[in-house]
Amino acid sequence: MTAESRSVLIVGAGPVGLFLGLALQQRGIPCILADRRITDSQHSRAIGIHPPSMALFERIGLAKQIEDAGCPIVRGLAFCGRQRLGEMRFADAGGDYPYIVSVPQYRTESLMRDALRDTEARRLQGYEPLDLEEHDDHVAVTLRNGVGEETHVRASYVIGCDGRDSWVRSRAGIPWRGGQYRDRYMMGDFPDHLPEPDTARIYVSGEGLVEAIPLPSGMRRWVLRTRRNGHQLDPTDFIREVERRTGERLPGLPENGLTAFGIQHFVAGRVVQGRLFLAGDAAHIMSPIGGQGMNTGWMDAWELAAALAGECDFNSYNRIVRRRAAVAIRRAHHNTLVGRPSSSPIFKGMFIRTMLNTPLRGVWLRRFTMQGLPRLVSA
Ligand SMILES: Cc1cc2nc3c(=O)[nH]c(=O)nc-3n(C[C@H](O)[C@H](O)[C@H](O)COP(=O)(O)OP(=O)(O)OC[C@H]3O[C@@H](n4cnc5c(N)ncnc54)[C@H](O)[C@@H]3O)c2cc1C
């Protein structure tokens, strides 16, 4: 049995926990990151890093590494079947980063882990919390690894960055409100055969959304809304379905197979309780259509680091995280609705054409580059 003491214990070293660790180190606040995983994740869920997040990465000194690891997406094209409806150039949103950077989530995590290695932050790999006791001036946490070894941590604050099924949130008895969407999707990464490697595409059709998002190394992610009953497609059916809806014939097979996913929206009743805090998916979950979940979590982490350093107060953190989550969840909800099958794709096409070819385009530009979300402290 071991015991140690630090200012902050972060439970969960996913993208948000790692970012928080770096932001705390930068302010000279010692922390421990505990994650139950023994090996690093190889899943590529999130890929889009939006301009506000690039500004945050600049502040922690990782913007260049992220850009080198990724590929820029400078515009989005919308189609109804094979008919082009319009385009959106991300440079028109203004700002220092006129593009979204596409990097697989595991790669972003590995860059942050490498950066943390050069700091005083301690990592407890393979450990999860077993029990937690709150005291007036500290929190005592017992953690255990897979072979039953225990360690005790005494920290001034404990942060739950432990994802959707957060142990910290449920241990604190914080309500979790929201629901499940009926929508189902499948995605796969294929060699990119499209002529514009810096352009994302969305296709609306009578059968529902198809997205085609550039990835580094000449790959592209294809996301397909599947039928309601969760019917799963094999690669041949997936390729056939994409071709039927878009006219594009995907070359080869998906690099790591296909992934099916459902979507939800949830928000925690509060994200501060005494010496316990929540950030990232532990605090809120939204539909990934529009790619905001991880990016919103980084905003939480940046502001929480500022609050823990005494630059703003904990009540403001609680208020802003929940307000921002509500706005992001609403935006993601609209994106999800646009992607649903339509009995009148012509009307949906007219709506999208209007949004992209009139001054209303600014509304979507802001939404798809994650501008205008409530912030407590920006970069
Ligand atoms: C298909 C898909 C595509 C997506 N695309 C995008 C996108 O393009 N852009 C975007 O911004 N977001 C996207 N998202 C959302 C994004 O993946 C999440 O918002 C992000 O992973 C949240 O990060 P997190 O660190 O809060 O939680 P997680 O990534 O869930 O990490 C939690 C960590 O905590 C650890 N953990 C959990 N429980 C415990 C415990 N009890 N003890 C110790 N450790 C624990 C886990 O091992 C994990 O390492 C997508 C999601 C999906 C499903």
Side-chain angles (χ1 to χ4, degrees):
M1 186 195 301
T2 56
E4 52 188 309
S5 170
R6 293 273 168 126
S7 295
V8 177
L9 169 66
I10 303 171
V11 180
V16 175
L18 290 165
F19 188 94
L20 177 61
L22 287 166
L24 289 174
Q25 287 305 303
Q26 205 180 42
R27 289 172 162 87
I29 301 176
C31 65
I32 299 179
L33 284 116
D35 198 293
R36 65 176 167 207
R37 282 192 314 217
I38 297 173
T39 53
D40 297 330
S41 165
Q42 289 306 312
H43 290 299
S44 168
R45 291 194 285 168
I47 53 177
I49 303 186
H50 291 266
S53 301
M54 286 307 295
L56 295 181
F57 275 109
E58 202 173 306
R59 291 296 302 275
I60 60 165
L62 272 183
K64 177 157 182 349
Q65 289 88 327
I66 295 278
E67 282 188 320
D68 289 349
C71 65
I73 307 178
V74 300
R75 66 174 182 158
L77 293 180
F79 292 81
C80 184
R82 297 168 198 219
Q83 190 193 7
R84 185 166 151 170
L85 300 173
E87 74 170 300
M88 194 160 48
R89 288 194 168 269
F90 300 134
D92 294 343
D96 292 342
Y97 289 95
Y99 40 76
I100 294 165
V101 184
S102 170
V103 193
Q105 184 169 329
Y106 66 84
R107 185 78 185 103
T108 308
E109 291 180 25
S110 105
L111 288 171
M112 288 195 277
R113 268 194 304 273
D114 290 349
L116 266 174
R117 251 174 232 131
D118 300 332
T119 71
E120 304 277 297
R122 251 255 314 119
R123 279 189 69 198
L124 282 173
Q125 233 170 326
Y127 279 86
E128 55 184 307
L130 203 60
D131 197 15
L132 172 158
E133 272 175 32
E134 284 188 83
H135 300 272
D136 286 348
D137 61 346
H138 74 278
V139 189
V141 185
T142 306
L143 300 109
R144 187 186 281 168
N145 70 9
V147 292
E149 289 164 346
E150 288 189 5
T151 186
H152 295 284
V153 174
R154 179 190 164 106
S156 303
Y157 302 103
V158 173
I159 323 295
C161 293
D162 46 351
R164 187 187 62 183
D165 302 321
S166 172
W167 182 89
V168 176
R169 190 184 64 234
S170 56
R171 177 67 179 74
I174 295 175
W176 184 232
R177 298 192 186 100
Q180 195 83 27
Y181 285 88
R182 60 182 159 89
D183 308 69
R184 290 276 175 279
Y185 294 85
M186 291 194 81
M187 64 181 190
D189 299 344
F190 292 80
D192 190 8
H193 72 290
L194 293 178
E196 325 93 347
D198 59 0
T199 301
R201 292 185 175 198
I202 66 158
Y203 300 83
V204 290
S205 70
E207 289 98 330
L209 181 79
V210 180
E211 289 182 330
I213 306 158
L215 286 166
S217 309
M219 301 293 289
R220 186 175 284 266
R221 171 161 303 169
W222 287 82
V223 183
L224 185 77
R225 191 187 182 284
T226 55
R227 289 192 192 92
R228 189 177 175 167
N229 58 11
H231 170 66
Q232 301 224 354
L233 305 173
D234 66 21
T236 313
D237 292 336
F238 185 93
I239 290 167
R240 194 177 301 131
E241 192 61 23
V242 168
E243 186 171 12
R244 211 166 62 76
R245 293 190 204 177
T246 69
E248 295 295 338
R249 172 113 196 131
L250 303 184
L253 289 169
E255 196 176 57
N256 297 310
L258 294 170
T259 306
F261 61 97
I263 56 177
Q264 306 122 40
H265 62 98
F266 280 95
V267 67
R270 52 194 175 276
V271 297
V272 179
Q273 183 169 294
R275 293 180 171 275
L276 310 182
F277 296 77
L278 303 175
D281 276 15
H284 43 69
I285 290 271
M286 59 202 70
S287 159
I289 305 304
Q292 302 180 96
M294 177 176 69
N295 286 267
T296 312
W298 287 331
M299 292 178 192
D300 301 349
W302 182 250
E303 288 165 356
L304 183 51
L308 292 168
E311 294 162 29
C312 50
D313 64 90
F314 294 157
N315 281 340
S316 305
Y317 175 74
N318 182 48
R319 192 171 28 82
I320 208 79
V321 168
R322 300 189 64 252
R323 253 181 62 205
R324 181 167 51 236
V327 175
I329 286 171
R330 202 164 52 240
R331 288 180 175 186
H333 178 72
H334 290 150
N335 297 341
T336 303
L337 295 187
V338 169
R340 282 200 176 145
S342 165
S343 53
S344 52
I346 293 172
F347 286 115
K348 190 173 272 184
M350 277 166 58
F351 166 69
I352 293 176
R353 203 192 286 275
T354 307
M355 290 303 291
L356 290 177
N357 297 293
T358 66
L360 286 172
R361 186 164 48 123
V363 176
W364 269 11
L365 245 182
R366 280 162 65 77
R367 182 187 294 176
F368 283 104
T369 53
M370 288 190 72
Q371 314 283 340
L373 286 174
R375 306 285 290 272
L376 189 55
V377 198
S378 27

